Amino acid sequence: MRTRLGGVAWGAPEGPRATPVAGRLKQSVSYWPYGKIPLAEFAPAAKKLGLVAIDLLYPEQWPVVKDAGLVSSMGYPTARRDFLTTGFNDPANHDMLVEELTRTLPLAAAAGVPNLIAMFGNRKGRSDEEGAASCITGLRRIAPAAEQHEVTICVELLNSKVDHKDYMGDHTAFGVKVMEGVGSPRVKLLYDIYHMQIMEGDVIRTIRDHLAHIGHFHTGGVPGRHEIDDGQELNYRAVCRAIVEAGYTGYLAHEFVPSRDPLTSLGEAVKLCDV
């Protein structure tokens, strides 16, 4: 039986063939673009393509991925609907955000989940100085628990030009300022290559200059957030080679929305980034 996702069929009768990979870069995939495929089917298919992890999963999903022999490389601390827009840049959010992360950190540690995602939040009229100061104060509250459980909180950089209007953490410099202020090895940036290409470009130089503050990567083709092939403007093979050569040892998760056969596109991305 074949399932349709985004108007295309996936999964030939014999299923995807196992793909040998060099493995210098630990590749993952965000589940949400493939959410119409049941996770119990998607996880083993992803493993056959050479992936070692799946990103952006809730605690109840972690065992499914573990049973398939994969890591849940980035977890959600909550299923709150305003998760992206409600972040650490507003002091009024701190108690709620710290509680969510405090509750989930020990679960992640026990399940072998290395990272939990957090957000800077929408600007809502705040200056960068005010927002950064608030983020530093709030993240300092949760940093000791993250260090205790050896789980990294990754705060995501997003573009405010196309997809996330008014988001405050829309430039690497802002994120680095916050990370320097927090000063914890367990609070880092989730550097989404798609988002930062839209906002500022100069991706390879930025990664080299600020890798110490980056805990995780996401991919996506610009423009459109589709396949990362030669139909978009980034040279992902060069980007991934630079990441590896800079000494990065964490995960890079594919977060593009496939416009063709999903598993074929995902397999092509794994091959492209296997530097």
Side-chain angles (χ1 to χ4, degrees):
M1 179 178 179
R2 307 183 81 195
T3 301
R4 299 194 68 82
L5 176 59
V8 296
W10 74 276
E14 70 274 8
R17 294 182 178 180
T19 304
V21 295
R24 293 179 68 206
L25 182 61
K26 295 188 294 188
Q27 295 189 56
S28 178
V29 58
S30 294
Y31 178 53
W32 67 264
Y34 306 85
K36 291 183 179 180
I37 306 174
L39 184 59
E41 297 177 27
F42 180 68
K47 184 177 182 180
K48 287 183 179 180
L49 292 175
L51 293 158
V52 298
I54 299 180
D55 238 40
L56 297 179
L57 298 171
Y58 298 102
E60 62 270 20
Q61 297 173 308
W62 299 345
V64 179
V65 172
K66 187 174 183 179
D67 288 346
L70 300 175
V71 174
S72 295
S73 47
M74 179 69 66
Y76 280 116
T78 183
R80 183 167 34 81
R81 294 185 65 182
D82 62 350
F83 186 81
L84 295 180
T85 59
T86 303
F88 277 95
N89 66 340
D90 185 350
N93 300 331
H94 287 179
D95 286 349
M96 175 184 68
L97 298 174
V98 169
E99 188 279 329
E100 290 172 350
L101 287 163
T102 300
R103 171 169 28 91
T104 313
L105 280 166
L107 302 179
V113 177
N115 305 298
L116 293 177
I117 190 172
M119 311 304 295
F120 290 109
N122 277 18
R123 184 178 297 276
K124 297 182 180 179
R126 298 179 187 85
S127 67
D128 280 358
E129 292 73 19
E130 180 184 2
S134 177
C135 288
I136 291 168
T137 298
L139 288 165
R140 279 179 175 173
R141 286 178 56 183
I142 193 60
E147 293 170 11
Q148 175 189 348
H149 293 290
E150 299 184 340
V151 173
T152 302
I153 296 169
C154 294
V155 194
E156 186 164 20
L157 298 166
L158 301 175
N159 85 75
S160 61
K161 179 180 179 181
V162 177
D163 301 296
H164 302 283
K165 301 293 184 181
D166 200 45
Y167 190 75
M168 178 165 274
D170 60 353
H171 281 82
T172 306
F174 177 86
V176 168
K177 180 178 181 179
V178 172
M179 296 302 107
E180 290 176 343
V182 176
S184 171
R186 288 297 177 177
V187 179
K188 295 198 173 188
L189 294 173
L190 197 174
Y191 185 93
D192 190 306
I193 299 167
Y194 161 80
H195 289 300
M196 290 301 96
Q197 171 68 4
I198 289 174
M199 294 303 299
E200 59 193 25
D202 201 17
V203 168
I204 290 177
R205 187 195 310 272
T206 301
I207 290 169
R208 287 171 174 165
D209 288 348
H210 301 296
L211 186 63
H213 298 299
I214 297 173
H216 201 74
F217 288 97
H218 279 167
T219 75
V222 181
R225 194 165 206 137
H226 296 303
E227 283 82 356
I228 59 173
D229 55 19
D230 60 4
Q232 49 86 52
E233 67 189 32
L234 279 160
N235 183 346
Y236 264 99
R237 190 159 185 84
V239 171
C240 290
R241 186 180 296 113
I243 289 171
V244 169
E245 291 176 352
Y248 179 70
T249 59
Y251 293 89
L252 176 141
H254 298 294
E255 200 184 17
F256 61 85
V257 179
S259 61
R260 304 187 297 273
D261 176 74
L263 292 184
T264 299
S265 291
L266 184 55
E268 291 170 351
V270 173
K271 183 177 180 181
L272 177 71
C273 295
D274 187 37
V275 293

